[in-house]
Amino acid sequence: MITIGGGNLYNSDRVSGEYIAINNCGLTIAGQADSTTLRPRGRSDYLLLYVWAGQVQVQEAGRRLPASAGSVVVYRPGECQHYTHVAQERTQAYWLHFSGTGAEELLQKAGFLARITPVGCVPEARELLRRLIHELQFRQRQYEMFCQAQILLLLATLSRGRQQRESAQFAQKYRRLAAVIAHMHANCQQSLSVSDFARMCDLSEHHFIHLFHEYTGEAPYAYLTRLRLEKAKDLMVSTTLNISEIAAAVGYPNPLYFSRLFRRHMGVPPSQFRKAMGN
């Protein structure tokens, strides 16, 4: 194992009274054999590991959790630290020890609540960590203030990577629903079942219903019903079609059923709604 950094220059377990302060920072490159760190009682400060390449295996409650490249691992003060740099994966991991009255607040704002958080391999974050190592090695004037600023920027940069990754995953997960929802809006009068919509997405009916509710907050049929009634309201205000014609236009050939449904959702029958709207 090769360690590069400021650890030997400023390797304290101090707890700073400032808002944020660095204790040490460095880079660990796995050698020919796995390297394990075990601190049963943890440390007095915070530890952030940023896995740049390979994999760090985290021991947590008797389980071995993989933190692959692009993962952030966080240990809070007093927590048992038990992790291994995997040599076979040619692991490279940056580490940062810090403390301060604002440390926990900053971690929560950045979204690092879990032990392991995927953020992706962010070149800007690696460059910030390299600059922190440089500052701790050479200790030029105002290096401590410079390090404070770099920590804030580092957490913000990693957090942005996390958000961008989650947004991309969200879009990928729900992209197949977009065509179905667009079809619902354009053709709400069509008599299609949930099974029909699921086939459009190439999903099972159960999986489609689950994803649809997760994405919209509504069941597919409830969403479609709301669309139809909103279109019916618009037709009542903007056209002279009678109630039966409007009911058929939004997918309800039975005007009596439509009137009951409209009243159940809107609180008034269609004719009263239309009168109140001045048409």
Side-chain angles (χ1 to χ4, degrees):
M1 181 181 72
I2 301 173
T3 299
I4 304 169
N8 293 328
L9 297 173
Y10 192 10
N11 191 4
S12 72
D13 203 12
R14 67 171 180 169
V15 177
S16 175
E18 298 184 61
Y19 184 71
I20 194 73
I22 190 170
N23 280 350
N24 48 61
C25 179
L27 167 66
T28 296
I29 302 174
Q32 295 182 348
D34 291 354
S35 173
T36 297
T37 296
L38 174 59
R39 301 185 182 104
R41 297 182 180 179
R43 285 176 48 124
S44 301
D45 57 6
Y46 290 79
L47 167 61
L48 183 148
L49 296 172
Y50 182 41
V51 185
W52 180 254
Q55 184 184 102
V56 171
Q57 292 184 346
V58 177
Q59 296 285 346
E60 187 78 12
R63 296 181 300 159
R64 181 173 294 181
L65 307 176
S68 55
S71 297
V72 167
V73 181
V74 173
Y75 286 100
R76 287 165 167 80
E79 293 182 338
C80 173
Q81 299 176 9
H82 190 183
Y83 55 90
T84 300
H85 292 77
V86 181
Q88 187 177 0
E89 300 290 339
R90 299 181 179 179
T91 301
Q92 297 182 31
Y94 290 90
W95 41 270
L96 173 69
H97 289 281
F98 60 98
S99 66
T101 59
E104 184 62 32
E105 178 187 13
L106 288 171
L107 286 174
Q108 292 191 16
K109 283 184 176 180
F112 299 134
L113 305 178
R115 178 74 71 216
I116 302 172
T117 305
V119 301
C121 292
V122 184
E124 294 87 347
R126 179 174 63 168
E127 183 58 31
L128 287 167
L129 285 159
R130 286 174 171 175
R131 293 174 70 180
L132 279 169
I133 294 170
H134 176 86
E135 287 296 320
L136 287 175
Q137 288 176 335
F138 291 93
R139 297 192 182 191
Q140 298 175 345
R141 292 181 180 179
Q142 299 294 349
Y143 81 94
E144 289 182 318
M145 184 182 295
F146 185 89
C147 288
Q148 288 175 325
Q150 293 296 96
I151 293 175
L152 292 172
L153 188 54
L154 173 67
L155 291 175
T157 301
L158 290 172
S159 180
R160 178 175 291 177
R162 175 187 63 81
Q163 292 172 337
Q164 290 174 340
R165 180 186 178 90
E166 290 174 355
S167 295
Q169 290 177 334
F170 183 88
Q172 177 67 18
K173 183 177 181 180
Y174 298 114
R175 65 180 176 80
R176 285 188 284 184
L177 294 179
V180 168
I181 292 173
H183 184 89
M184 284 181 172
H185 279 262
N187 306 281
C188 67
Q189 78 284 357
Q190 289 185 353
S191 180
L192 294 175
S193 67
V194 173
S195 296
D196 294 326
F197 292 130
R199 280 194 292 272
M200 289 183 188
C201 296
D202 194 25
L203 296 171
S204 69
E205 187 173 336
H206 174 77
H207 193 195
F208 170 75
I209 293 172
H210 175 76
L211 283 182
F212 194 96
H213 190 278
E214 194 175 62
Y215 184 66
T216 66
E218 296 179 281
Y221 185 74
Y223 187 91
L224 181 59
T225 299
R226 181 170 58 81
L227 283 181
R228 287 173 167 176
L229 294 180
E230 289 297 325
K231 184 173 181 180
K233 287 164 60 178
D234 181 63
L235 291 174
M236 288 178 200
V237 173
S238 62
T239 74
T240 58
L241 295 172
N242 62 44
I243 300 301
S244 296
E245 291 171 327
I246 290 174
V250 297
Y252 298 109
N254 185 334
L256 182 59
Y257 175 77
F258 168 74
S259 295
R260 290 174 179 171
L261 186 68
F262 190 95
R263 182 168 188 167
R264 187 191 314 150
H265 284 266
M266 302 302 170
V268 295
S271 56
Q272 186 174 336
F273 174 86
R274 179 173 238 178
K275 185 177 181 179
M277 292 296 103
N279 191 358

